[in-house]
């Protein structure tokens, strides 16, 4: 009976999280969604952090179950007829339809639980999640003929493109984008000549806005809070407390929360895009300098860009925001390639590399801090050479 109630509560919590975002998940809201008393939630989970750990585990198992149903979807005749690219496209389409938002929520919950008493428990679940995802893609019969490195790149690109393609509001456009990325990946791995999109020049670095001290404090506070817990739970009061200012100061500069988020989003775009063309970054340290701060933790602006992407995916009314975020991630990718000397590339390659690096970064962040830079730099260097060298 107790187990049944726990399962019922977690199912209701998952629906609440996927529909309204992590900020909507509180002990009280979960009790209301599950139709139980608040004391029942406290009895089973004690704290919100422990509830979120249980939710993380519940969602991860649901995603793994969906993948397991897909692994044997193709028989030998179908595999021979369709080929690797078509099969992986089909699997991605189904996985996105069934568990797209759930996959996004995994990283969102994990990021929120960092620096809490539940951090280690969350990390254990996320290590399992990424290992399962990696094994799923690498063990697909459709890429059995690939070498070890090729399989790893297929896995990283397929898993990493999920949040990027979910920014497309229309399923038809989303599926078309998947097809283009997968086809380009197949060509790059096979060393086939690709037809590049028309030549273009990377945009100039975005000018950082000059703001009064208090206004910049608010933007910086918003970036820190968004990177940790997303934007749904942001309030003027929380931002003011993080910035060390009064609520009156935040409302003076920014009448609404959306005003703050829009300004913070521009700042994040400038930091994220400009970081990849800093000529002082030596190639052996390229990826780690972009992604990690001096403590070898994820740079706040990178975490915030992910949080903004999650918010854009979940909220249809943020369509223009979704377009802007997708553009930034694609431009980041092509800037990274150009800065490393890979000039015979285009925007599609930029999106491909952005997707591939998403997976690599998430796996690196689950390792001890002292090992992250080496993982990011060594693996990315090998993968870049394999794809574009």
């Amino acid at each position: 009976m107790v187990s049944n109630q726990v399962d019922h509560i977690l199912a209701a919590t998952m629906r609440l999280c996927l529909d309204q975002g992590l900020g909507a998940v509180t002990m009280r809201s979960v009790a209301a969604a599950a139709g139980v008393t608040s004391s029942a939630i406290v009895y089973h989970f004690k704290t919100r952090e422990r509830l979120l750990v249980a939710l993380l585990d519940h969602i991860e198992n649901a995603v793994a179950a969906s993948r397991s149903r897909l692994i044997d979807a193709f028989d030998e005749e179908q595999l021979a007829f369709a080929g690797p690219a078509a099969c992986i496209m089909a699997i991605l389409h189904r996985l996105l339809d069934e568990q797209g938002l759930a996959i996004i929520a995994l990283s969102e919950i994990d990021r929120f639980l960092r620096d809490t008493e539940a951090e280690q428990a969350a990390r254990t679940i996320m290590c399992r999640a990424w290992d399962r995802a990696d094994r799923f893609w690498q063990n697909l019969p459709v890429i059995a003929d690939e070498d070890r490195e090729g399989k790893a790149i297929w896995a990283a690109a397929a898993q990493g493109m999920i949040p990027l393609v979910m920014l497309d509001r229309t399923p038809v456009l989303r599926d078309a984008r998947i097809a283009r990325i997968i086809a380009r990946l197949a060509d790059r791995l096979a060393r086939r000549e690709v037809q590049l999109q028309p030549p273009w020049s990377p945009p100039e670095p975005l000018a950082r806005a000059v703001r009064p001290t208090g206004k910049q404090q608010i933007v910086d506070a918003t970036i820190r809070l968004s990177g940790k817990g997303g934007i749904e739970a942001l309030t003027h009061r929380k931002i003011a407390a993080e910035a060390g200012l009064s609520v009156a100061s935040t409302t003076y500069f920014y009448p609404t929360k959306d005003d703050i988020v829009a300004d913070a989003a521009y700042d994040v775009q400038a930091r994220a895009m400009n970081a990849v063309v800093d000529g002082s970054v030596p190639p052996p340290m390229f990826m780690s300098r972009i992604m990690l701060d001096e403590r070898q933790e994820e740079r706040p602006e990178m975490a915030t860009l992910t949080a903004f992407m999650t918010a854009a995916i979940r909220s249809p009314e943020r369509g223009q925001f979704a377009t802007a975020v997708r553009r930034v991630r694609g431009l980041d990718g092509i800037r990274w390639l150009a800065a490393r000397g890979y000039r015979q590339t285009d925007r599609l390659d930029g999106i491909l590399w952005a997707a591939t690096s998403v997976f690599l970064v998430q796996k690196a962040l689950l390792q001890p801090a002292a090992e992250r830079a080496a993982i990011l730099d060594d693996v990315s260097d090998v993968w870049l050479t394999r794809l574009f060298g």
Side-chain angles (χ1 to χ4, degrees):
M1 181 65 179
V2 171
S3 177
N4 288 341
Q5 187 175 58
V6 168
D7 290 342
H8 171 71
I9 292 170
L10 289 174
T13 308
M14 180 174 172
R15 290 194 300 271
L16 184 65
C17 180
L18 300 189
D19 291 344
Q20 300 183 35
L22 184 58
V25 178
T26 66
M27 304 291 267
R28 187 182 300 276
S29 66
V30 167
V36 300
T37 63
S38 295
S39 60
I41 307 298
V42 174
Y43 173 77
H44 290 300
F45 302 103
K46 304 299 188 285
T47 66
R48 182 175 185 243
E49 285 74 21
R50 292 188 185 183
L51 170 63
L52 292 178
V53 169
L55 174 62
L56 189 68
D57 184 66
H58 182 81
I59 292 176
E60 198 280 322
N61 281 318
V63 171
S66 286
R67 283 197 303 259
S68 68
R69 290 193 295 271
L70 294 170
I71 198 163
D72 297 321
F74 300 95
D75 59 29
E76 291 185 6
E77 181 181 355
Q78 291 169 324
L79 290 175
F81 176 77
C87 290
I88 289 178
M89 288 178 209
I91 290 171
L92 270 170
H93 295 164
R94 177 59 63 85
L95 192 59
L96 284 168
D97 288 339
E98 291 184 3
Q99 298 292 353
L101 284 175
I103 292 170
I104 299 300
L106 288 174
S107 294
E108 186 180 20
I109 298 168
D110 172 56
R111 182 171 288 106
F112 179 82
L113 291 174
R114 291 175 192 170
D115 300 321
T116 71
E117 63 176 16
E119 179 178 14
Q120 188 54 54
R123 175 164 295 188
T124 298
I125 296 169
M126 290 303 295
C127 284
R128 184 186 77 202
W130 287 108
D131 285 344
R132 279 176 164 178
D134 200 20
R135 287 199 306 271
F136 168 78
W137 294 109
Q138 292 204 43
N139 290 337
L140 285 175
V142 295
I143 59 170
D145 293 336
E146 289 281 357
D147 59 23
R148 181 177 179 181
E149 186 180 280
K151 289 179 181 179
I153 294 173
W154 268 114
Q159 187 69 18
M161 78 172 66
I162 290 174
L164 292 177
V165 299
M166 285 185 68
L167 288 166
D168 280 303
R169 314 311 303 179
T170 306
V172 172
L173 295 177
R174 181 200 71 189
D175 293 348
R177 191 178 300 275
I178 292 173
R180 294 186 68 197
I181 298 171
I182 291 293
R184 176 58 61 86
L185 173 58
D187 287 341
R188 287 296 187 185
L189 285 174
R191 304 283 185 178
R192 290 190 287 264
E193 184 177 354
V194 301
Q195 183 175 358
L196 297 176
Q197 295 175 349
W200 69 291
S201 298
E204 293 297 320
L206 289 174
R208 293 287 302 277
V210 178
R211 304 181 180 90
T213 301
K215 198 171 186 178
Q216 187 62 52
Q217 285 176 255
I218 294 168
V219 168
D220 290 340
T222 302
I223 291 172
R224 290 193 298 271
L225 290 173
S226 298
K228 182 174 175 59
I231 72 173
E232 287 88 355
L234 287 177
T235 64
H236 275 90
R237 188 175 299 280
K238 289 181 180 179
I239 294 169
E242 178 70 18
L245 301 171
S246 66
V247 175
S249 296
T250 64
T251 54
Y252 171 76
F253 287 119
Y254 299 102
T256 71
K257 184 181 82 170
D258 284 347
D259 292 331
I260 306 177
V261 170
D263 209 12
Y266 180 89
D267 214 57
V268 166
Q269 290 174 32
R271 296 186 199 183
M273 290 176 64
N274 297 348
V276 301
V277 290
D278 181 355
S280 67
V281 179
M285 301 169 58
F286 192 77
M287 184 64 80
S288 63
R289 284 285 295 272
I290 292 171
M291 294 295 179
L292 304 177
D293 62 18
E294 64 279 359
R295 298 179 300 116
Q296 304 304 296
E297 300 293 342
E298 186 176 26
R299 284 178 55 198
E301 55 267 33
M302 293 301 176
T304 303
L305 195 57
T306 301
F308 287 168
M309 183 162 58
T310 301
I313 290 168
R314 184 175 288 114
S315 305
E317 68 274 11
R318 292 193 172 105
Q320 291 184 333
F321 191 28
T323 300
V325 173
R326 183 179 60 244
R327 180 175 178 273
V328 169
R329 298 311 295 258
L331 291 176
D332 277 349
I334 192 62
R335 278 177 170 273
W336 295 343
L337 297 176
R340 287 300 306 272
Y342 297 106
R343 301 288 179 175
Q344 294 303 307
T345 54
D346 59 13
R347 295 190 189 196
L348 191 56
D349 288 318
I351 295 172
L352 170 59
W353 181 246
T356 305
S357 60
V358 163
F359 183 88
L360 177 58
V361 169
Q362 291 302 321
K363 288 200 73 175
L365 289 172
L366 292 171
Q367 306 306 312
E371 300 175 13
R372 292 169 186 167
I375 292 171
L376 287 172
D377 295 331
D378 294 347
V379 176
S380 65
D381 197 56
V382 171
W383 288 4
L384 281 166
T385 302
R386 175 65 180 268
L387 288 170
F388 309 110

